[in-house]
Amino acid sequence: MKPSNFLCLFICLMLVVPMSLQAGHGTVAFWGGTIFPLTTSAHLNDLRIKITPATIGRVGLVRLENQDNKSVRCRAVFSSGPEKIGRRQVLLKPGRSATMSKAVWRYAARMHIMVTCKAY
């Protein structure tokens, strides 16, 4: 393989980052090739909140959209094995959306995001 072909292949592989927007599942990929699943669970208390989990590189995130007619307070708990649990919260007015995220710094077997929302 010519050095220029190898360089092109290397750059192309570095630019391809697996990302999934399937409901409740995604993947996080490290350049070393380690992949683990992203799962979500939700306790919405009969509120209409749209939850979209995703990953970008080593960052797990969840996008919340308030489709209800009242303000809600949502909290997300990010757990990823040996790392410290990450907690985020946001106040969403009707029709608004917000994204909460947590970066993974060490190897983990999986990342789970638990979302809890209550009327405010």
Side-chain angles (χ1 to χ4, degrees), residues 6 15-16 62 86 107:
F6 178 75
L15 294 176
V16 176
V62 64
Y107 170 78

Side-chain angles (χ1 to χ4, degrees), residues 3 21 45 58 70 79 82-83 117:
L21 295 177
N45 296 313
R58 58 183 170 78
K70 51 187 142 188
S79 57
E83 293 197 3
C117 295

Side-chain angles (χ1 to χ4, degrees), residues 20-27 37-41 51-54 111-113:
S20 172
L21 295 177
Q22 299 171 5
H25 300 285
T27 58
L38 171 67
T39 58
T40 58
S41 62
I51 299 174
T52 308
M111 177 181 276
H112 182 75
I113 306 172

Side-chain angles (χ1 to χ4, degrees), residues 37-108:
L38 171 67
T39 58
T40 58
S41 62
H43 305 284
L44 302 178
N45 296 313
D46 295 327
L47 297 168
R48 293 184 311 148
I49 308 294
K50 181 179 178 184
I51 299 174
T52 308
T55 59
I56 300 175
R58 58 183 170 78
V59 179
L61 54 97
V62 64
R63 186 176 195 284
L64 305 174
E65 183 179 346
N66 185 359
Q67 297 176 340
D68 215 319
N69 58 0
K70 51 187 142 188
S71 295
V72 296
R73 178 179 304 272
C74 293
R75 296 178 181 184
V77 177
F78 295 80
S79 57
S80 59
E83 293 197 3
K84 184 178 177 183
I85 292 175
R87 292 179 172 85
R88 310 286 187 269
Q89 72 176 357
V90 66
L91 178 64
L92 289 173
K93 294 183 179 179
R96 298 291 185 154
S97 63
T99 302
M100 295 184 278
S101 64
K102 182 181 185 306
V104 177
W105 297 103
R106 291 187 267 176
Y107 170 78

